[in-house]
Amino acid sequence: MIEFEKKILLTEKEFKKLLELKTEGSECVVQNNYYYDSEDLKMHNSGITCRIREKGGVCLATVKTHKARECDCSIESSKYVGNVHDDSFFADMGIQLQGVLSTRRTILHKQQGIEVVLDQNTYLGTTDYELEIEYNPSMINNVDDILSCLAGFLKSEDCICSKKEFISRTQVCQSKSERFFNYKKSTLPK
């Protein structure tokens, strides 16, 4: 499966302000990502994520290659597994559990080909916030319009300095797994 997404790492203030846009029927879900890698984090260093995602009692093991074709694109191979400890999908890879990232996801907008979500991620004793837009490539103009509208809202609320700076963050935002493993590396003894 090929996945297209734009992400922006948010400050807590920006996150809380954007949460005000949720409607009464906005769906909130919790998912846990169990990340696997070798002790030397070889997979992460190669741009590959191995995880088991548990959401609503369903567990999906995935190997994901980041930025495989272009900067918004990742390629995934997945298989449903019995539980979060069923790492058989990774059996021949010589990897083990490295930790868990828990996400509380609020869906702000969903339509055919686009989903706009706010994620609060907790991992390894830290928390971060992000805006994520998953989309079908044919909807890229709509994605740009949504980003512009959200940036305009945050600018009008004095949360950001400029719309341009906010939108430019899509070019530098790391994936959840990148943030998880980079944080893990930063806390390892030298």
Side-chain angles (χ1 to χ4, degrees), residues 100-111:
V100 181
L101 180 144
S102 295
T103 299
R104 179 175 172 77
R105 172 167 282 186
T106 302
I107 300 171
L108 288 184
H109 175 76
K110 192 173 188 174
Q111 71 182 61

Side-chain angles (χ1 to χ4, degrees), residues 6-84:
K6 289 192 179 280
K7 297 170 175 279
I8 295 178
L9 205 55
L10 301 170
T11 65
E12 186 175 7
K13 179 181 178 182
E14 293 165 349
F15 176 80
K16 287 181 176 179
K17 189 52 71 175
L18 289 174
L19 267 179
E20 293 176 10
L21 298 175
K22 73 179 183 176
T23 60
E24 192 173 307
S26 293
E27 183 182 353
C28 287
V29 295
V30 174
Q31 63 188 34
N32 296 301
N33 289 327
Y34 294 78
Y35 289 119
Y36 289 77
D37 208 326
S38 58
E39 280 188 39
D40 62 357
L41 306 182
K42 182 180 178 183
M43 303 303 284
H44 165 70
N45 294 331
S46 299
I48 298 169
T49 299
C50 298
R51 71 166 188 239
I52 296 176
R53 175 173 287 162
E54 183 274 321
K55 183 166 74 173
V58 177
C59 299
L60 184 67
T62 300
V63 176
K64 183 174 185 175
T65 304
H66 298 277
K67 298 179 179 160
R69 295 187 180 166
E70 52 189 84
C71 87
D72 292 344
C73 175
S74 297
I75 297 176
E76 297 181 357
S77 175
S78 300
K79 174 187 171 189
Y80 288 101
V81 295
N83 61 60
V84 297

